[in-house]
Amino acid sequence: MTAPTSPPRMPLNELQPALRFPPELLLKAQGPALGLKAAIFDVDGVLTDGRIYLSERGEEFKAFATLDGHGLKLLAEGGIVPIVITGRDSPAVRRRVADLGLKHAVYGAKDKLAAAQPLLAQLGVDWPEVAAIGDDWPDLPLMVRAGFACAPAQAHAEVKAVAHHVTEAAGGHGAAREFCDLLLMASGRYAALLHGHLVTLDGGGA
């Protein structure tokens, strides 16, 4: 027997997003083209806090935030393709990417620009239609070409200097989710995705 559910405190069509970004930031996050189509994510320092845990046997462990994971899923639902490009490779990262259902990822990329070019060509996306978030120098070639660039709160000074926005949250602690929310809100898709979660009994795990 299914337990009865209480009705919301106000009609669903009257509920408005609580999240707010400054109008000038939303304008930047729309990108210089006709809307952003893809977003590139670094892993260490963006999807994690940058720390690497090694076991005695050399196994690598990383901690990921579920907030970020759900943000990447929402981004894909909203029509912006998430792409992971990381300079390191590990079973932990591959497992996390697979669990999130992300279709585009490059591991162990020594040259992130060279890794990104064929992926964007495959998707038919040009740099003005790309957003990117990174925290250190290897991410700079992507960020200076992207239509919108973002850096986590703890990113290196040179990365912050080229970013259009520095998140309030740190890497591994919600920075990627803030980036995703911003892109979705700037594209006008955030409210519809939120409403969809208000009316469903299962928003999906992350």
Side-chain angles (χ1 to χ4, degrees):
M1 180 176 179
T2 303
T5 57
S6 299
R9 291 188 296 275
M10 66 176 66
L12 291 177
N13 59 2
E14 294 182 15
L15 290 171
Q16 298 297 320
L19 188 63
R20 295 285 186 272
F21 290 104
E24 61 273 16
L25 177 57
L26 290 172
L27 187 61
K28 288 181 182 178
Q30 291 175 3
L34 298 176
L36 298 175
K37 298 179 180 177
I40 299 175
F41 295 78
D42 178 32
V43 173
D44 294 308
V46 173
L47 296 181
T48 76
D49 64 6
R51 290 183 292 180
I52 298 169
Y53 304 88
L54 296 174
S55 72
E56 293 180 356
R57 294 183 295 177
E59 297 171 315
E60 190 171 299
F61 301 94
K62 299 176 188 288
F64 299 93
T66 56
L67 272 174
D68 292 342
H70 197 61
L72 268 75
K73 287 184 174 183
L74 290 173
L75 201 66
E77 287 181 38
I80 299 175
V81 179
I83 299 170
V84 170
I85 299 180
T86 175
R88 298 177 64 87
D89 191 2
S90 73
V93 174
R94 288 180 178 261
R95 172 65 183 271
R96 181 60 173 158
V97 168
D99 286 350
L100 293 176
L102 304 182
K103 299 178 181 178
H104 305 283
V106 180
Y107 309 95
K110 302 303 180 185
D111 183 337
K112 292 192 175 185
L113 180 59
Q117 296 282 27
L119 271 178
L120 297 183
Q122 177 187 342
L123 293 168
V125 175
D126 295 324
W127 281 107
E129 303 169 310
V130 176
I133 181 168
D135 73 311
D136 209 345
W137 289 18
D139 304 306
L140 288 173
L142 307 180
M143 297 177 68
V144 298
R145 289 168 172 80
F148 181 73
C150 197
Q154 87 297 343
H156 191 277
E158 303 301 341
V159 176
K160 290 182 179 180
V162 303
H164 296 102
H165 176 61
V166 177
T167 64
E168 293 185 10
H173 297 277
R177 179 57 175 273
E178 185 177 331
F179 178 59
C180 293
D181 288 344
L182 174 56
L183 296 181
L184 290 169
M185 192 164 283
S187 70
R189 300 161 189 161
Y190 182 93
L193 288 166
L194 175 62
H195 184 267
H197 277 61
L198 290 171
V199 299
T200 183
L201 295 178
D202 181 12

mmCIF file of all heavy atoms in Angstrom, residues 140-180:
data_model
loop_
_atom_site.group_PDB
_atom_site.id
_atom_site.type_symbol
_atom_site.label_atom_id
_atom_site.label_comp_id
_atom_site.label_asym_id
_atom_site.label_seq_id
_atom_site.Cartn_x
_atom_site.Cartn_y
_atom_site.Cartn_z
ATOM 1 N N LEU A 140 44.333 26.070 -18.834
ATOM 2 C CA LEU A 140 44.330 27.403 -19.443
ATOM 3 C C LEU A 140 44.045 27.399 -20.948
ATOM 4 O O LEU A 140 43.278 28.243 -21.430
ATOM 5 C CB LEU A 140 45.647 28.119 -19.146
ATOM 6 C CG LEU A 140 45.843 28.595 -17.706
ATOM 7 C CD1 LEU A 140 47.263 29.127 -17.497
ATOM 8 C CD2 LEU A 140 44.830 29.673 -17.361
ATOM 9 N N PRO A 141 44.638 26.487 -21.753
ATOM 10 C CA PRO A 141 44.352 26.513 -23.194
ATOM 11 C C PRO A 141 42.866 26.333 -23.517
ATOM 12 O O PRO A 141 42.384 26.885 -24.513
ATOM 13 C CB PRO A 141 45.178 25.336 -23.734
ATOM 14 C CG PRO A 141 46.286 25.166 -22.759
ATOM 15 C CD PRO A 141 45.670 25.477 -21.427
ATOM 16 N N LEU A 142 42.154 25.580 -22.685
ATOM 17 C CA LEU A 142 40.715 25.404 -22.885
ATOM 18 C C LEU A 142 39.958 26.662 -22.470
ATOM 19 O O LEU A 142 39.047 27.121 -23.165
ATOM 20 C CB LEU A 142 40.208 24.216 -22.063
ATOM 21 C CG LEU A 142 40.914 22.875 -22.236
ATOM 22 C CD1 LEU A 142 40.268 21.833 -21.332
ATOM 23 C CD2 LEU A 142 40.873 22.422 -23.686
ATOM 24 N N MET A 143 40.350 27.224 -21.349
ATOM 25 C CA MET A 143 39.605 28.337 -20.772
ATOM 26 C C MET A 143 39.719 29.617 -21.594
ATOM 27 O O MET A 143 38.761 30.379 -21.712
ATOM 28 C CB MET A 143 40.051 28.557 -19.332
ATOM 29 C CG MET A 143 39.751 27.357 -18.433
ATOM 30 S SD MET A 143 40.336 27.558 -16.732
ATOM 31 C CE MET A 143 39.251 28.870 -16.166
ATOM 32 N N VAL A 144 40.888 29.862 -22.185
ATOM 33 C CA VAL A 144 41.047 31.093 -22.972
ATOM 34 C C VAL A 144 40.344 31.001 -24.320
ATOM 35 O O VAL A 144 40.128 32.023 -24.977
ATOM 36 C CB VAL A 144 42.537 31.443 -23.179
ATOM 37 C CG1 VAL A 144 43.212 31.702 -21.847
ATOM 38 C CG2 VAL A 144 43.267 30.352 -23.949
ATOM 39 N N ARG A 145 39.966 29.799 -24.738
ATOM 40 C CA ARG A 145 39.240 29.625 -26.000
ATOM 41 C C ARG A 145 37.734 29.486 -25.795
ATOM 42 O O ARG A 145 36.953 29.733 -26.724
ATOM 43 C CB ARG A 145 39.772 28.389 -26.729
ATOM 44 C CG ARG A 145 41.169 28.577 -27.309
ATOM 45 C CD ARG A 145 41.773 27.253 -27.767
ATOM 46 N NE ARG A 145 43.029 27.469 -28.484
ATOM 47 C CZ ARG A 145 44.195 27.702 -27.867
ATOM 48 N NH1 ARG A 145 44.263 27.751 -26.547
ATOM 49 N NH2 ARG A 145 45.294 27.891 -28.580
ATOM 50 N N ALA A 146 37.323 29.084 -24.619
ATOM 51 C CA ALA A 146 35.910 28.807 -24.369
ATOM 52 C C ALA A 146 35.079 30.093 -24.375
ATOM 53 O O ALA A 146 35.560 31.169 -24.016
ATOM 54 C CB ALA A 146 35.756 28.098 -23.023
ATOM 55 N N GLY A 147 33.825 29.942 -24.774
ATOM 56 C CA GLY A 147 32.912 31.074 -24.756
ATOM 57 C C GLY A 147 32.626 31.561 -23.354
ATOM 58 O O GLY A 147 32.337 32.747 -23.142
ATOM 59 N N PHE A 148 32.715 30.639 -22.375
ATOM 60 C CA PHE A 148 32.539 31.012 -20.968
ATOM 61 C C PHE A 148 33.466 30.142 -20.143
ATOM 62 O O PHE A 148 33.462 28.915 -20.283
ATOM 63 C CB PHE A 148 31.089 30.807 -20.521
ATOM 64 C CG PHE A 148 30.837 31.182 -19.094
ATOM 65 C CD1 PHE A 148 30.811 32.510 -18.706
ATOM 66 C CD2 PHE A 148 30.624 30.211 -18.127
ATOM 67 C CE1 PHE A 148 30.595 32.870 -17.373
ATOM 68 C CE2 PHE A 148 30.401 30.554 -16.799
ATOM 69 C CZ PHE A 148 30.383 31.897 -16.425
ATOM 70 N N ALA A 149 34.279 30.770 -19.284
ATOM 71 C CA ALA A 149 35.254 30.048 -18.480
ATOM 72 C C ALA A 149 35.003 30.299 -17.003
ATOM 73 O O ALA A 149 34.676 31.417 -16.596
ATOM 74 C CB ALA A 149 36.671 30.477 -18.841
ATOM 75 N N CYS A 150 35.180 29.251 -16.211
ATOM 76 C CA CYS A 150 34.891 29.315 -14.781
ATOM 77 C C CYS A 150 36.035 28.660 -14.011
ATOM 78 O O CYS A 150 36.700 27.748 -14.524
ATOM 79 C CB CYS A 150 33.579 28.589 -14.519
ATOM 80 S SG CYS A 150 32.821 28.949 -12.950
ATOM 81 N N ALA A 151 36.268 29.127 -12.794
ATOM 82 C CA ALA A 151 37.305 28.555 -11.933
ATOM 83 C C ALA A 151 36.737 28.341 -10.537
ATOM 84 O O ALA A 151 35.953 29.159 -10.052
ATOM 85 C CB ALA A 151 38.514 29.482 -11.858
ATOM 86 N N PRO A 152 37.116 27.245 -9.863
ATOM 87 C CA PRO A 152 36.687 27.040 -8.481
ATOM 88 C C PRO A 152 37.366 28.049 -7.550
ATOM 89 O O PRO A 152 38.381 28.659 -7.904
ATOM 90 C CB PRO A 152 37.145 25.615 -8.167
ATOM 91 C CG PRO A 152 37.487 24.999 -9.477
ATOM 92 C CD PRO A 152 37.886 26.109 -10.370
ATOM 93 N N ALA A 153 36.825 28.175 -6.357
ATOM 94 C CA ALA A 153 37.313 29.168 -5.401
ATOM 95 C C ALA A 153 38.795 29.017 -5.084
ATOM 96 O O ALA A 153 39.491 30.013 -4.854
ATOM 97 C CB ALA A 153 36.487 29.079 -4.115
ATOM 98 N N GLN A 154 39.302 27.769 -5.071
ATOM 99 C CA GLN A 154 40.687 27.548 -4.669
ATOM 100 C C GLN A 154 41.634 27.462 -5.853
ATOM 101 O O GLN A 154 42.800 27.115 -5.691
ATOM 102 C CB GLN A 154 40.788 26.269 -3.825
ATOM 103 C CG GLN A 154 40.983 24.956 -4.577
ATOM 104 C CD GLN A 154 39.847 24.566 -5.511
ATOM 105 O OE1 GLN A 154 38.754 25.084 -5.405
ATOM 106 N NE2 GLN A 154 40.108 23.645 -6.423
ATOM 107 N N ALA A 155 41.189 27.805 -7.058
ATOM 108 C CA ALA A 155 42.016 27.680 -8.261
ATOM 109 C C ALA A 155 43.256 28.566 -8.196
ATOM 110 O O ALA A 155 43.318 29.553 -7.447
ATOM 111 C CB ALA A 155 41.192 28.038 -9.494
ATOM 112 N N HIS A 156 44.238 28.212 -9.013
ATOM 113 C CA HIS A 156 45.465 28.999 -9.089
ATOM 114 C C HIS A 156 45.153 30.404 -9.603
ATOM 115 O O HIS A 156 44.217 30.613 -10.376
ATOM 116 C CB HIS A 156 46.463 28.307 -10.027
ATOM 117 C CG HIS A 156 47.834 28.881 -9.968
ATOM 118 N ND1 HIS A 156 48.204 30.008 -10.671
ATOM 119 C CD2 HIS A 156 48.937 28.492 -9.271
ATOM 120 C CE1 HIS A 156 49.471 30.283 -10.422
ATOM 121 N NE2 HIS A 156 49.937 29.386 -9.581
ATOM 122 N N ALA A 157 45.956 31.378 -9.173
ATOM 123 C CA ALA A 157 45.721 32.786 -9.508
ATOM 124 C C ALA A 157 45.657 33.026 -11.015
ATOM 125 O O ALA A 157 44.846 33.833 -11.499
ATOM 126 C CB ALA A 157 46.809 33.658 -8.884
ATOM 127 N N GLU A 158 46.497 32.345 -11.796
ATOM 128 C CA GLU A 158 46.507 32.559 -13.252
ATOM 129 C C GLU A 158 45.216 32.051 -13.893
ATOM 130 O O GLU A 158 44.753 32.599 -14.906
ATOM 131 C CB GLU A 158 47.717 31.864 -13.881
ATOM 132 C CG GLU A 158 49.064 32.299 -13.328
ATOM 133 C CD GLU A 158 49.329 33.791 -13.499
ATOM 134 O OE1 GLU A 158 48.667 34.438 -14.330
ATOM 135 O OE2 GLU A 158 50.202 34.314 -12.782
ATOM 136 N N VAL A 159 44.636 31.028 -13.317
ATOM 137 C CA VAL A 159 43.380 30.486 -13.831
ATOM 138 C C VAL A 159 42.232 31.432 -13.492
ATOM 139 O O VAL A 159 41.374 31.728 -14.328
ATOM 140 C CB VAL A 159 43.123 29.071 -13.272
ATOM 141 C CG1 VAL A 159 41.775 28.548 -13.736
ATOM 142 C CG2 VAL A 159 44.242 28.131 -13.707
ATOM 143 N N LYS A 160 42.238 31.924 -12.261
ATOM 144 C CA LYS A 160 41.205 32.890 -11.868
ATOM 145 C C LYS A 160 41.259 34.141 -12.738
ATOM 146 O O LYS A 160 40.227 34.743 -13.039
ATOM 147 C CB LYS A 160 41.378 33.277 -10.398
ATOM 148 C CG LYS A 160 41.035 32.181 -9.404
ATOM 149 C CD LYS A 160 41.207 32.692 -7.987
ATOM 150 C CE LYS A 160 40.848 31.638 -6.960
ATOM 151 N NZ LYS A 160 41.020 32.143 -5.574
ATOM 152 N N ALA A 161 42.455 34.503 -13.161
ATOM 153 C CA ALA A 161 42.628 35.734 -13.933
ATOM 154 C C ALA A 161 41.966 35.667 -15.302
ATOM 155 O O ALA A 161 41.555 36.698 -15.845
ATOM 156 C CB ALA A 161 44.119 36.050 -14.083
ATOM 157 N N VAL A 162 41.844 34.469 -15.883
ATOM 158 C CA VAL A 162 41.240 34.355 -17.215
ATOM 159 C C VAL A 162 39.783 33.906 -17.143
ATOM 160 O O VAL A 162 39.095 33.866 -18.163
ATOM 161 C CB VAL A 162 42.034 33.374 -18.118
ATOM 162 C CG1 VAL A 162 43.480 33.805 -18.232
ATOM 163 C CG2 VAL A 162 41.940 31.945 -17.603
ATOM 164 N N ALA A 163 39.299 33.580 -15.946
ATOM 165 C CA ALA A 163 37.924 33.086 -15.790
ATOM 166 C C ALA A 163 36.922 34.237 -15.843
ATOM 167 O O ALA A 163 37.179 35.328 -15.343
ATOM 168 C CB ALA A 163 37.779 32.333 -14.473
ATOM 169 N N HIS A 164 35.768 33.954 -16.449
ATOM 170 C CA HIS A 164 34.666 34.915 -16.407
ATOM 171 C C HIS A 164 33.992 34.924 -15.033
ATOM 172 O O HIS A 164 33.365 35.908 -14.652
ATOM 173 C CB HIS A 164 33.614 34.554 -17.468
ATOM 174 C CG HIS A 164 34.114 34.654 -18.872
ATOM 175 N ND1 HIS A 164 34.467 33.549 -19.609
ATOM 176 C CD2 HIS A 164 34.327 35.735 -19.671
ATOM 177 C CE1 HIS A 164 34.860 33.925 -20.813
ATOM 178 N NE2 HIS A 164 34.794 35.249 -20.872
ATOM 179 N N HIS A 165 34.128 33.800 -14.318
ATOM 180 C CA HIS A 165 33.483 33.672 -13.007
ATOM 181 C C HIS A 165 34.294 32.734 -12.142
ATOM 182 O O HIS A 165 34.768 31.694 -12.593
ATOM 183 C CB HIS A 165 32.059 33.121 -13.174
ATOM 184 C CG HIS A 165 31.353 32.857 -11.884
ATOM 185 N ND1 HIS A 165 31.078 33.839 -10.958
ATOM 186 C CD2 HIS A 165 30.862 31.696 -11.351
ATOM 187 C CE1 HIS A 165 30.446 33.319 -9.922
ATOM 188 N NE2 HIS A 165 30.303 32.027 -10.126
ATOM 189 N N VAL A 166 34.467 33.116 -10.880
ATOM 190 C CA VAL A 166 35.081 32.257 -9.866
ATOM 191 C C VAL A 166 33.974 31.843 -8.904
ATOM 192 O O VAL A 166 33.272 32.696 -8.340
ATOM 193 C CB VAL A 166 36.202 32.989 -9.103
ATOM 194 C CG1 VAL A 166 36.763 32.092 -7.999
ATOM 195 C CG2 VAL A 166 37.311 33.410 -10.067
ATOM 196 N N THR A 167 33.784 30.548 -8.737
ATOM 197 C CA THR A 167 32.675 30.058 -7.921
ATOM 198 C C THR A 167 32.903 30.358 -6.441
ATOM 199 O O THR A 167 34.037 30.485 -5.987
ATOM 200 C CB THR A 167 32.483 28.539 -8.092
ATOM 201 O OG1 THR A 167 33.647 27.856 -7.608
ATOM 202 C CG2 THR A 167 32.248 28.176 -9.539
ATOM 203 N N GLU A 168 31.818 30.446 -5.721
ATOM 204 C CA GLU A 168 31.913 30.585 -4.266
ATOM 205 C C GLU A 168 32.357 29.270 -3.645
ATOM 206 O O GLU A 168 33.073 29.255 -2.645
ATOM 207 C CB GLU A 168 30.565 31.011 -3.694
ATOM 208 C CG GLU A 168 30.130 32.413 -4.102
ATOM 209 C CD GLU A 168 28.851 32.836 -3.420
ATOM 210 O OE1 GLU A 168 28.404 32.116 -2.488
ATOM 211 O OE2 GLU A 168 28.296 33.869 -3.807
ATOM 212 N N ALA A 169 31.934 28.155 -4.230
ATOM 213 C CA ALA A 169 32.283 26.834 -3.712
ATOM 214 C C ALA A 169 33.661 26.410 -4.221
ATOM 215 O O ALA A 169 34.122 26.840 -5.284
ATOM 216 C CB ALA A 169 31.235 25.806 -4.139
ATOM 217 N N ALA A 170 34.318 25.559 -3.455
ATOM 218 C CA ALA A 170 35.621 25.025 -3.845
ATOM 219 C C ALA A 170 35.447 23.733 -4.637
ATOM 220 O O ALA A 170 34.384 23.111 -4.628
ATOM 221 C CB ALA A 170 36.466 24.772 -2.596
ATOM 222 N N GLY A 171 36.510 23.352 -5.320
ATOM 223 C CA GLY A 171 36.493 22.101 -6.068
ATOM 224 C C GLY A 171 36.231 20.917 -5.157
ATOM 225 O O GLY A 171 36.788 20.831 -4.060
ATOM 226 N N GLY A 172 35.369 20.009 -5.596
ATOM 227 C CA GLY A 172 35.012 18.856 -4.788
ATOM 228 C C GLY A 172 33.992 19.154 -3.721
ATOM 229 O O GLY A 172 33.561 18.258 -3.003
ATOM 230 N N HIS A 173 33.586 20.418 -3.619
ATOM 231 C CA HIS A 173 32.627 20.832 -2.589
ATOM 232 C C HIS A 173 31.520 21.692 -3.194
ATOM 233 O O HIS A 173 31.050 22.639 -2.558
ATOM 234 C CB HIS A 173 33.341 21.589 -1.474
ATOM 235 C CG HIS A 173 34.347 20.773 -0.728
ATOM 236 N ND1 HIS A 173 34.002 19.919 0.302
ATOM 237 C CD2 HIS A 173 35.688 20.649 -0.886
ATOM 238 C CE1 HIS A 173 35.090 19.318 0.759
ATOM 239 N NE2 HIS A 173 36.125 19.743 0.053
ATOM 240 N N GLY A 174 31.128 21.361 -4.425
ATOM 241 C CA GLY A 174 30.004 22.058 -5.032
ATOM 242 C C GLY A 174 30.349 23.047 -6.132
ATOM 243 O O GLY A 174 29.451 23.664 -6.709
ATOM 244 N N ALA A 175 31.631 23.233 -6.460
ATOM 245 C CA ALA A 175 32.000 24.177 -7.521
ATOM 246 C C ALA A 175 31.409 23.763 -8.865
ATOM 247 O O ALA A 175 30.887 24.602 -9.613
ATOM 248 C CB ALA A 175 33.524 24.279 -7.632
ATOM 249 N N ALA A 176 31.483 22.477 -9.181
ATOM 250 C CA ALA A 176 30.944 22.003 -10.457
ATOM 251 C C ALA A 176 29.430 22.167 -10.507
ATOM 252 O O ALA A 176 28.864 22.505 -11.549
ATOM 253 C CB ALA A 176 31.329 20.544 -10.692
ATOM 254 N N ARG A 177 28.755 21.965 -9.379
ATOM 255 C CA ARG A 177 27.304 22.136 -9.338
ATOM 256 C C ARG A 177 26.936 23.607 -9.548
ATOM 257 O O ARG A 177 25.973 23.921 -10.273
ATOM 258 C CB ARG A 177 26.743 21.634 -8.019
ATOM 259 C CG ARG A 177 25.217 21.793 -7.876
ATOM 260 C CD ARG A 177 24.469 21.064 -9.033
ATOM 261 N NE ARG A 177 23.044 21.100 -8.852
ATOM 262 C CZ ARG A 177 22.356 20.196 -8.149
ATOM 263 N NH1 ARG A 177 22.994 19.192 -7.555
ATOM 264 N NH2 ARG A 177 21.045 20.271 -8.061
ATOM 265 N N GLU A 178 27.689 24.508 -8.925
ATOM 266 C CA GLU A 178 27.448 25.933 -9.119
ATOM 267 C C GLU A 178 27.607 26.299 -10.599
ATOM 268 O O GLU A 178 26.818 27.069 -11.155
ATOM 269 C CB GLU A 178 28.412 26.740 -8.261
ATOM 270 C CG GLU A 178 28.181 28.239 -8.299
ATOM 271 C CD GLU A 178 29.116 28.998 -7.369
ATOM 272 O OE1 GLU A 178 29.537 28.434 -6.334
ATOM 273 O OE2 GLU A 178 29.425 30.166 -7.674
ATOM 274 N N PHE A 179 28.624 25.761 -11.230
ATOM 275 C CA PHE A 179 28.881 25.964 -12.659
ATOM 276 C C PHE A 179 27.710 25.444 -13.489
ATOM 277 O O PHE A 179 27.202 26.138 -14.381
ATOM 278 C CB PHE A 179 30.178 25.238 -13.012
ATOM 279 C CG PHE A 179 30.596 25.282 -14.453
ATOM 280 C CD1 PHE A 179 30.828 26.485 -15.096
ATOM 281 C CD2 PHE A 179 30.811 24.099 -15.150
ATOM 282 C CE1 PHE A 179 31.251 26.507 -16.426
ATOM 283 C CE2 PHE A 179 31.234 24.117 -16.461
ATOM 284 C CZ PHE A 179 31.467 25.319 -17.104
ATOM 285 N N CYS A 180 27.249 24.238 -13.190
ATOM 286 C CA CYS A 180 26.120 23.645 -13.919
ATOM 287 C C CYS A 180 24.846 24.465 -13.734
ATOM 288 O O CYS A 180 24.130 24.752 -14.703
ATOM 289 C CB CYS A 180 25.877 22.210 -13.457
ATOM 290 S SG CYS A 180 27.171 21.038 -13.868
#
